[in-house]
Amino acid sequence: MKTRVSLWMLIVVLFTAFALPSSISASTGDQGINEKLGLPIVVYGEALSEAQKAEVSELLEVNQHDQVDEFTVNGQDLANYIGGNPNSNMYSSVKIIHKDNAEGLNIEIVTPDNITQVTKEMYTNALLTAGVENADVLVASSVKVSGHSALTGIYKAYDAKGVKLDEERMKVASDELDIATDIAEKEGVDRDKISELLTEIKKQIAEQDPATREEVEQIVQDQLQSLNIELSEEDRQRLIDLFEQMRNLNINFDQVQNQLEDLTGSIQDLINDDGFWNSLRNAVQDFFKSLSNFINSLLN
């Protein structure tokens, strides 16, 4: 009897070890006040109720900081920064912690189930286009939203702290996010694959420095072929128009080349993730099958 109890206790322990997920925290730690970089900034969507705002504050771990600068973003901000609808309801909220130069841009979606269209790689690509660098950015929403309005909150945070981002670059970044999510939805292309496409096009623009629209078009076409992505002629032209705008704005992607390389690696990890988890699941199943056979041999 004792043997059987011990065996079943062993099974429970092993099962618990495999079944309980390891938590990955988006916490940035209690950093106190960084006098060089300034206070963390939190921007809440104006449409949040007081209860929702309190929930978002907890999700963004605002209370772990000694002090924060808090702002609210509304539909008029959306219109001012990127020409959006001033009557829009804003729910997405963000926390931004400025980092030293060369530390890079790190995006964390704290509520992935409630940000339904935009991935953190899409945010990263768009923010690099807008000229945002060297910051930890956490995005959260207490209700399901597409996630587009989080960009406006980030722009307002920088503006409120006296950092003027280029208006044209902000608009192009917003267009980039719209095109990325539209293509993923309309064409049925995986969102991570779209992020990889945008990143690879930017890397090629940085390397080749195209001087004409025709050269931009060739870069876009080459990367579509390289990644085996088929788009309608309309969406292909939208991509070409987007990157032609970037070329005309003289956005220097050489300055963020390392971040683009890191982003490529991150996206590849996500794309390959299914294979990893399938392998892990099979390994766990094989383990428990062998364990079951072993225990049965002892008990019979």
Side-chain angles (χ1 to χ4, degrees):
M1 181 65 180
K2 288 184 178 180
T3 301
R4 291 191 178 188
V5 172
S6 299
L7 285 171
W8 284 115
M9 288 181 65
L10 174 62
I11 293 170
V12 170
V13 171
L14 290 171
F15 179 80
T16 302
F18 277 103
L20 290 179
S22 58
S23 61
I24 301 175
S25 174
S27 170
T28 52
D30 185 357
Q31 301 175 347
I33 299 174
N34 188 317
E35 295 178 317
K36 175 184 175 184
L37 300 173
L39 298 175
I41 305 168
V42 180
V43 183
Y44 296 102
E46 186 186 48
L48 294 173
S49 67
E50 286 302 315
Q52 289 170 331
K53 183 177 178 181
E55 179 184 354
V56 168
S57 176
E58 184 175 348
L59 289 167
L60 293 176
E61 299 183 334
V62 175
N63 63 359
Q64 73 175 220
H65 304 285
D66 292 336
Q67 294 182 40
V68 297
D69 282 334
E70 294 187 331
F71 303 95
T72 301
V73 64
N74 56 36
Q76 190 58 54
D77 294 316
L78 184 68
N80 292 342
Y81 292 117
I82 57 176
N85 182 357
N87 298 315
S88 298
N89 290 324
M90 309 291 280
Y91 290 94
S92 299
S93 304
V94 297
K95 181 173 77 172
I96 301 169
I97 301 173
H98 293 294
K99 311 295 286 186
D100 283 314
N101 288 339
E103 288 197 29
L105 181 63
N106 178 56
I107 312 295
E108 187 70 37
I109 299 178
V110 182
T111 55
D113 290 341
N114 282 345
I115 306 294
T116 61
Q117 292 186 10
V118 186
T119 66
K120 70 176 184 177
E121 289 74 27
M122 289 179 181
Y123 280 130
T124 302
N125 253 317
L127 289 174
L128 290 175
T129 297
V132 175
E133 301 178 46
N134 304 309
D136 288 339
V137 179
L138 282 72
V139 181
S141 176
S142 59
V143 298
K144 286 189 179 296
V145 293
S146 66
H148 291 74
S149 64
L151 279 186
T152 306
I154 295 167
Y155 297 158
K156 181 161 187 177
Y158 276 78
D159 192 13
K161 299 296 286 186
V163 179
K164 294 295 182 182
L165 298 174
D166 184 272
E167 183 176 333
E168 290 301 316
R169 287 185 65 164
M170 287 191 290
K171 289 181 178 178
V172 170
S174 179
D175 290 343
E176 177 181 344
L177 202 59
D178 287 342
I179 290 171
T181 53
D182 283 352
I183 289 177
E185 185 175 357
K186 285 170 47 184
E187 303 275 3
V189 181
D190 183 82
R191 292 183 299 172
D192 296 328
K193 202 73 171 176
I194 291 297
S195 294
E196 184 179 17
L197 173 66
L198 297 175
T199 304
E200 291 299 330
I201 291 173
K202 288 176 183 177
K203 287 166 61 177
Q204 290 305 309
I205 288 176
E207 291 178 13
Q208 298 183 33
D209 190 21
T212 66
R213 178 183 174 87
E214 288 71 26
E215 291 176 351
V216 171
E217 183 173 1
Q218 188 61 53
I219 289 173
V220 171
Q221 187 59 38
D222 288 346
Q223 294 311 307
L224 285 170
Q225 291 178 350
S226 175
L227 295 171
N228 295 315
I229 297 175
E230 294 186 8
L231 299 181
S232 66
E233 181 60 24
E234 177 186 359
D235 284 332
R236 194 177 72 89
Q237 288 300 322
R238 290 176 73 192
L239 277 178
I240 294 168
D241 291 343
L242 173 70
F243 286 101
E244 175 66 3
Q245 288 183 68
M246 292 185 192
R247 184 182 72 83
N248 289 333
L249 289 174
N250 294 316
I251 296 176
N252 186 359
F253 288 116
D254 283 330
Q255 294 179 348
V256 292
Q257 187 74 11
N258 289 338
Q259 293 181 65
L260 289 173
E261 293 288 351
D262 292 342
L263 186 55
T264 298
S266 174
I267 294 168
Q268 279 298 321
D269 288 343
L270 288 172
I271 290 173
N272 295 329
D273 192 57
D274 284 344
F276 167 77
W277 287 111
N278 285 336
S279 298
L280 179 61
R281 184 175 63 251
N282 291 335
V284 171
Q285 288 174 344
D286 290 343
F287 169 79
F288 280 109
K289 183 177 179 180
S290 299
L291 180 62
S292 177
N293 291 338
F294 169 72
I295 293 172
N296 286 333
S297 70
L298 292 176
L299 296 178
N300 293 330

